[in-house]
Amino acid sequence: MNFKKLLFFVALFCFQFTFSQNFDYSILAIPDSLKQNANSVVLNSNTKITLESSKKMIVSRKKVVAVLNKLGDRNSQIVIHYDSSNEIKKVRAYVYNAMGVEIKDIKKRDFTDRSAADGISLFNDGRLIYYNYVPTSYPYTIYYEYEVESSNTAFIPRWYPYASYHQGVVKSSYEITYPTYLSIQKAEKNFENYTIAKSTKPNTLTYEINNSPAIKYEELCPSSLKIMPWLIVASNKFRLENVDGSANNWTEFGKWMYDNLIVSRMALPESTKTKVKQMVDGIEDPVEKARIIYDYVQEKTRYISVQVGIGGWMPMLATDVDKLGYGDCKALTNYTKSLLDEVGVESYHVLLYGGPIKSLEKDLASPQGNHMILYVPSDKRDNWLECTSQIDPFGYQGTFTDNRDVLVITPEGGKLKHTGIYKTEDSFQNTKANYKINNEGNIEAQIKIRSGGIQYSDHFIIENKSKRDIEAHYKSDYWSYVNNINLKNYAFTNNRDSIIFTENIELGASKYASFSGDRMLFTINAFNRALDVPKRYRNRKLPFEIARGFIDKDEFKISLPADYNIEALPNNIDVKNKFGSYTLSIEKIDEKNLKYTRVFKLNEGLYPAKDYKAYRDFRKKIAKQDKNKIVLIKSTP
């Protein structure tokens, strides 16, 4: 062995020896307090961001995670995204057994490299490498490190000390350094409930958390973003796919978006301009014009995601959408606005987070959000248009874009607004039914269900399903507690103007009732039972959330069998508390006919852990009442 080779192996040995001495990978080194309720434990996580300029960023990451059981495996996955603007400079990983002995050396060639396409994108030039370790035993520890160099500085990685519930943290740190001419904005979320060391030095911010126990998931708890600590930072000057930007406030950021990403994309062919003007000829009301244009876009286009380069933020040309008939949320929103401009209707692009309720961070102006819709103001109401949907009525938000802070992008700049909120009373479901039960315990029923507000979205999608899926919906999902349903007939009416969906159903169900000697027993609430009861906790720690309220009103008229008389009826009930209300009444019309009336109202809200038992008791009481049975006795000759 020559001297150079010997020197190399000595250096390698020294590196590995020093590396192993600097850290104890043994599971035995983890404090018991951090393993309690944990599926995995972060032994050490370090994220270092170096902003060399507004045009160059280096992200270095080192992380050690101990996986205690199978449920913790997902926290050992390594995923690194890259594209033409983000280059992976290095990556390495190691796996250690429970005693801290290295059992696997993972090199870059061991990673799987694939497209980051989401399955619905027309174009997507993003790629990723990933590695999923398949363990032969538990526990084990995985260490990985990587470095990514990026010319995009618009999206500075955030700090999430916890990756999930049921994860303890021994140590997690975050550092960002930046040149003096840049200003760094930051938003510290949920720090007040954790011990986090912070240091602010010239051109450097550092954060560190130590020995933080796992957070046990509890039913109905809010999003982890409302519970766990996390940090978001942004630079006032940035680059996005070779487009320079600045954002000291939301007005500036909106102005940058409009001037650089939007205004040049709105031109339309002359033939299309003429066509849409003819479509609204003679109509004065701008909202009615917008409704006609929106229906036209729904019929003409379809949604396909486009994620090439700045395509993640810049819309396709309106002319291309007009010609091709497809686009992503930005493209279809931009196309709809371009059409509305031609017919004199005021409208604006809107940047937001789509999905579960999540607002833009108002205190930090930066590229945020994952979705775009269109805002059409009017004297009577704000209209928020989901331009990617081919079935949503005009102005209907549903649960994807409601009740959140968003950025309205105008030629003058960005303006923060809050999208529409569906009031509890507006999110209704009214069920009326006439059903009769015969001597054999079989029922025949005619049912009418009207739904609106948030509950509209739970119902109207059924009208476009196949007969097989419709039958499965009623038999296996909606009325899963009713056996032997025979769906005889159904018809739907979708009023897209009032946004009310109506279902008319005719069905039968054999053996609905049960028998005990001369007695027949059956549940009087045949068609709308709220049977879910939240899980019991002896010592709940987390708050709980009812994200959206609703109100159900039910009225059933029941014809009893000829050969049976009423022996016992459930009692009427009236309950009201901070969570909502529940009323039930049974009226005896005559010896063979009953009227059942039920109203269940649930209020949205974020409630402290101490209220959970009261809420669970409320739901238990409702479930019990919704399962109450009528007792009939066979009449004597």
Side-chain angles (χ1 to χ4, degrees), residues 499-552:
I499 313 184
I500 294 176
F501 188 69
T502 304
E503 303 158 74
N504 287 285
I505 305 117
E506 182 179 350
L507 61 78
S510 61
K511 300 181 180 179
Y512 179 71
S514 60
F515 294 87
S516 177
D518 289 339
R519 289 174 173 80
M520 176 190 292
L521 300 88
F522 67 92
T523 304
I524 190 168
N525 183 353
F527 301 116
N528 190 21
R529 301 178 195 170
L531 302 179
D532 290 337
V533 176
K535 183 179 177 180
R536 179 174 177 263
Y537 295 95
R538 291 185 180 276
N539 185 21
R540 186 179 176 99
K541 302 292 187 182
L542 300 179
F544 65 99
E545 184 174 38
I546 302 170
R548 297 177 179 87
F550 63 82
I551 185 167
D552 285 2

Side-chain angles (χ1 to χ4, degrees), residues 39 56 88 149 198 222 243 403:
N39 297 321
K56 184 178 179 181
I88 300 174
E149 185 177 303
K198 298 182 289 184
V243 179
N403 193 19

Side-chain angles (χ1 to χ4, degrees), residues 185-199:
Q185 307 172 65
K186 64 182 185 300
E188 301 166 351
K189 313 300 293 185
N190 308 318
F191 276 31
E192 61 276 7
N193 297 320
Y194 300 84
T195 302
I196 297 175
K198 298 182 289 184
S199 174

Side-chain angles (χ1 to χ4, degrees), residues 384 386 392-398 422 453-457 460 499:
W384 307 93
E386 177 53 76
D392 283 353
F394 176 87
Y396 185 67
Q397 293 180 258
Y422 291 97
I454 288 298
Q455 299 213 69
Y456 173 87
S457 63
F460 89 104
I499 313 184

